[in-house]
Amino acid sequence: MRQQLAIARWAHVLSAGWVFLLALLIIADVLGRTLFLHPIAGTKEILQNSVIAVTFLQLPLAVYSGSMLRTTLLLDRLGPRSAQALRIMAWLLGAALFAAIAYASLPSALTAVRLGEYEGEGAMRIYTWPVRFLLVVTCAFAAIAYVAVLIEDLRGRNGDSSLPAARPDTDPVPLADPAAKPLTGADLT
């Protein structure tokens, strides 16, 4: 579990670095357009593929840290056992969803490699297969993350000490605790 969390953190750091580089590319493209009437070739295609990659690289850590979009309107009104049952259902649905996305995306990733699929014309061609495989891998990793969080929840290690399986003598990795503070940049190093 700790290794998975470490990989998820590195993927998140990679996506943050990628966003920074994209910002530099956008600035350079705008300056090239404005000052020299010559934009950077392929900026649109690079950005188009990068948005998908950056988004999906952040998925596993979002699952581990409990940052996926959710509402606590119903959860707050339930008792500990009912709340746990609802969380377990959510973990199972999340795992199933991302496993299905990974499974459904694999054929198009393989086809992109076979055909040499690319985006862009002329001077800059961006191959699509790296982003397609990144989507498959990160969705599979997100499904694994949901299963790991489910297991931790069943063991009572989600920070909810009212659950009968909670063991205060362990040093759990903070996961999906509604009362836990969100991860900051300092937590990712």
Side-chain angles (χ1 to χ4, degrees):
M1 173 72 170
R2 291 195 187 278
Q3 295 86 4
Q4 293 170 350
L5 190 57
I7 293 169
R9 285 180 176 151
W10 279 107
H12 187 77
V13 169
L14 175 66
S15 72
W18 199 331
V19 167
F20 179 74
L21 292 175
L22 290 175
L24 292 178
L25 176 64
I26 291 169
I27 291 169
D29 185 59
V30 168
L31 288 175
R33 248 178 235 275
T34 306
L35 299 177
F36 308 112
L37 300 175
H38 187 60
I40 297 175
T43 300
K44 176 187 158 270
E45 290 81 8
I46 292 170
L47 291 172
Q48 201 170 341
N49 284 295
S50 293
V51 167
I52 296 166
V54 166
T55 302
F56 280 89
L57 278 170
Q58 294 178 8
L59 251 177
L61 189 61
V63 173
Y64 282 121
S65 65
S67 301
M68 295 298 280
L69 184 62
R70 63 182 172 175
T71 180
T72 59
L73 182 66
L74 179 60
L75 198 61
D76 290 344
R77 297 173 195 264
L78 297 175
R81 290 223 183 258
S82 299
Q84 184 184 35
L86 191 59
R87 284 194 312 270
I88 288 170
M89 189 172 66
W91 304 143
L92 289 171
L93 287 172
L97 172 71
F98 286 108
I101 292 172
Y103 178 76
S105 300
L106 185 59
S108 64
L110 294 171
T111 300
V113 170
R114 187 172 47 83
L115 297 177
E117 181 182 59
Y118 62 88
E119 289 189 10
E121 294 296 326
M124 180 68 90
R125 292 182 177 178
I126 307 294
Y127 286 100
T128 60
W129 66 264
V131 172
R132 289 184 183 271
F133 275 108
L134 184 71
L135 185 129
V136 171
V137 170
T138 54
C139 283
F141 191 16
I144 291 167
Y146 269 112
V147 171
V149 172
L150 167 68
I151 291 168
E152 291 297 310
D153 199 356
L154 288 172
R155 290 180 179 167
R157 295 184 187 172
N158 69 341
D160 188 351
S161 60
S162 65
L163 295 175
R167 297 184 304 193
D169 57 328
T170 61
D171 181 29
V173 176
L175 295 172
D177 179 13
K181 65 178 181 115
L183 291 175
T184 62
D187 297 326
L188 299 175
T189 58

